[in-house]
Amino acid sequence: MGWRIWALSGVLFFLYALVSLRTHERLLSNSYDLGIFEQAIRSYAHGELPVSELKGPDFPLLGDHFHPILALLAPFYWVWPSPKTLLVAQAALVAASAIPLALWARRSLGRLAGLIIGSSYGLSWGVASAVGFDFHEVAFAAPLLACSLCALGQGRLRAAAAWALPLLLVKEDLGLTVIAIGLVIAWRGNRRIGLATAGIGLAGTLLTLFLILPAFSPTGSFGYWDRLGDPAGAEQGLAGTLYHYTIGLITPVTKVSTLLFVLAPTLFLALRSPLVWVAVPTLVWRFASNNSFNWGTGFHYSLVLMTIVFAAFVDALVRRGQVASLRRYLAGSLAVTLLLLPQFPLWQLVQPATWRATPRLGAARDVMRLIPDGATVQASTNLVPQLTNRTSVSLFGWAGSRPNPGWIMVDTQVPDERRWPLSHTAEQAALHTALANGYTEVANKNGFVLLQRN
């Protein structure tokens, strides 16, 4: 009864949790975004609307992004008030998303196909990038999308709509994905359910972007509109805008590379399924963004895309129905996945450095223990998630942080590529300024400096 697929999901959960937790234990998690999301869930656990000191003093997070589904993690946070709760929950959600894909493949293509599809998806670079970088609300989207698209591919259109609608509670941009799912449902034969789903998706998107987010935002508007355009577009007029939303969607070449990476694990067969249209809204907003982080293969941005293209892959394989070509495509998909694996975070699990204890890690924890529970703190970005569960912590060196905290803790030896928001020189200047303005050095151990306000 598919027990091997459930076992595969269990193995994936173990791998995801292991890489996430070990990354956190090595002080490689970040204020943006693990720290922010823990502050959100900590608020929910205390029966309050989510706020984040990292975004600003008492900043209301429902004015930043719309993700009320995070409240579902509050009961788990009561039991284990730690950032590790978020990382384990993310591992469970993403691992669960492999189950419907693998079961559909098993049911339609055979037992071996189910295991290979589940493995290729679970080890794919987009999934690995997501679980290897902090925690994000889109972890909830993966199982919802997988269930919706698998139902859609099998003709269970009511179930497809039912699984899609909760995406409106995950993040504001996923309303566009709901619209796309509704349109595919309508195309597949149930216009009433499909158009109703698309209509609810449109209404939810407009309500979120133009009413809910502005109502909570300190600025009175959605704060990311300026990322959806070419900074030079206003100067270049209509021609510049048209260029940005046409040629600009495939330039620079990073965008094309990402698209090829997204489709490569399916050997581009996903393009033969109408389910792949569900990926279009995510691709458009990412490539229209003027934030270059959205264009590449890093971070969590491709998790949703990976779920969609693998569902389209299964659908296309079912449509082909040729045993010989099926075996070639399955073998090719697994080969591409394994070929790309060393470039992404899951590969860290076989690297000796991942498991090596260093004196610095112990020193960091020794210094952090000197900070009392409930204190106000400013800290380096890699130290923030170590403190969010028991202090009111913000980012050292950022102008929007709460001023005059009781404590300041800085990792002065963090590599330059991980420094943010201050360079090493600016960080040293900021520490000297703090010492000149009433702070006393309490500890200085292996590069970890702790100051206390007199």
Side-chain angles (χ1 to χ4, degrees):
M1 297 297 291
W3 67 267
R4 292 179 180 85
I5 288 172
W6 288 88
L8 171 64
S9 178
V11 171
L12 292 174
F13 164 72
F14 177 75
L15 294 177
Y16 299 160
L18 200 58
V19 72
S20 296
L21 294 173
R22 188 57 189 158
T23 297
H24 178 67
E25 289 169 356
R26 294 169 63 207
L27 306 183
L28 297 176
S29 52
N30 304 276
S31 59
Y32 282 51
D33 295 307
L34 181 57
I36 289 174
F37 281 111
E38 187 184 358
Q39 289 179 336
I41 293 168
R42 188 181 180 191
S43 299
Y44 280 126
H46 292 165
E48 303 167 352
L49 290 176
V51 297
S52 174
E53 287 287 294
L54 289 162
K55 298 288 292 186
D58 299 318
F59 186 95
L61 281 177
L62 290 179
D64 186 52
H65 289 297
F66 187 68
H67 38 47
I69 201 166
L70 291 176
L72 294 177
L73 296 183
F76 301 98
Y77 197 79
W78 295 338
V79 177
W80 190 18
S82 167
K84 296 178 181 179
T85 300
L86 282 66
L87 299 175
V88 171
Q90 176 172 259
L93 289 165
V94 177
S97 68
I99 295 173
L101 292 168
L103 287 177
W104 179 20
R106 179 183 183 275
R107 190 178 301 115
S108 302
L109 303 169
R111 181 183 301 171
L112 181 61
L115 290 173
I116 292 178
I117 291 293
S119 300
S120 295
Y121 167 74
L123 298 175
S124 63
W125 68 266
V127 171
S129 292
V131 299
F133 177 62
D134 293 354
F135 169 91
H136 298 88
E137 72 278 81
V138 293
F140 283 95
L144 291 172
L145 266 174
C147 289
S148 177
L149 296 179
C150 289
L152 179 51
Q154 296 171 84
R156 295 182 289 111
L157 303 185
R158 290 181 182 272
W163 282 110
L165 291 177
L167 290 169
L168 293 168
L169 304 177
V170 177
K171 199 176 179 185
E172 62 279 353
D173 64 280
L174 289 171
L176 302 176
T177 302
V178 174
I179 295 172
I181 291 173
L183 294 177
V184 176
I185 290 173
W187 182 84
R188 291 293 288 260
N190 195 321
R191 294 185 63 187
R192 183 175 63 84
I193 291 178
L195 293 179
T197 302
I200 294 172
L202 177 60
T205 301
L206 295 175
L207 181 67
T208 300
L209 291 176
F210 295 101
L211 184 60
I212 298 176
L213 286 166
F216 283 99
S217 174
T219 64
S221 65
F222 180 49
Y224 296 93
W225 288 123
D226 60 342
R227 292 192 180 181
L228 294 178
D230 182 3
E235 299 176 4
Q236 298 175 3
L238 180 60
T241 300
L242 289 175
Y243 180 89
H244 179 70
Y245 285 98
T246 52
I247 303 300
L249 292 179
I250 57 173
T251 55
V253 71
T254 302
K255 299 176 183 179
V256 176
S257 299
T258 296
L259 183 58
L260 294 176
F261 265 73
V262 167
L263 295 169
T266 73
L267 304 185
F268 299 89
L269 191 64
L271 292 171
R272 298 191 180 185
S273 167
L275 298 186
V276 80
W277 286 102
V278 178
V280 170
T282 300
L283 287 169
V284 170
W285 79 252
R286 281 184 61 184
F287 293 166
S289 170
N290 54 42
N291 181 357
S292 60
F293 288 129
N294 294 144
W295 307 339
T297 57
F299 308 109
H300 59 290
Y301 298 116
S302 296
L303 175 60
V304 164
L305 295 175
M306 207 88 319
T307 307
I308 295 170
V309 297
F310 267 91
F313 184 41
V314 177
D315 187 49
L317 289 173
V318 172
R319 288 166 176 266
R320 288 182 67 87
Q322 299 174 8
V323 175
S325 60
L326 170 65
R327 290 174 179 171
R328 287 197 297 269
Y329 276 113
L330 291 174
S333 174
L334 186 59
V336 171
T337 296
L338 296 177
L339 183 66
L340 296 176
L341 189 62
Q343 302 177 49
F344 294 94
L346 288 179
W347 194 250
Q348 295 172 12
L349 294 175
V350 299
Q351 301 301 307
T354 301
W355 308 105
R356 189 177 299 127
T358 67
R360 293 201 78 236
L361 297 180
R365 292 180 173 85
D366 290 342
V367 174
M368 281 187 281
R369 276 193 284 268
L370 300 175
I371 302 173
D373 293 351
T376 58
V377 186
Q378 284 187 15
S380 300
T381 184
N382 61 316
L383 301 177
V384 164
Q386 312 292 328
L387 296 164
T388 41
N389 65 327
R390 63 183 188 87
T391 69
S392 177
V393 60
S394 54
L395 192 60
F396 179 68
W398 185 57
S401 294
R402 187 180 293 277
N404 302 317
W407 300 79
I408 294 173
M409 184 172 175
V410 177
D411 181 358
T412 62
Q413 295 182 10
V414 70
D416 289 341
E417 62 271 16
R418 290 185 51 80
R419 284 190 173 277
W420 183 75
L422 298 178
S423 66
H424 178 74
T425 302
E427 180 182 88
Q428 291 300 309
L431 286 173
H432 286 305
T433 300
L435 289 169
N437 287 311
Y439 284 83
T440 300
E441 185 178 283
V442 176
N444 189 335
K445 188 175 182 180
N446 282 48
F448 297 100
V449 176
L450 180 64
L451 309 182
Q452 182 181 12
R453 183 161 56 89
N454 294 332

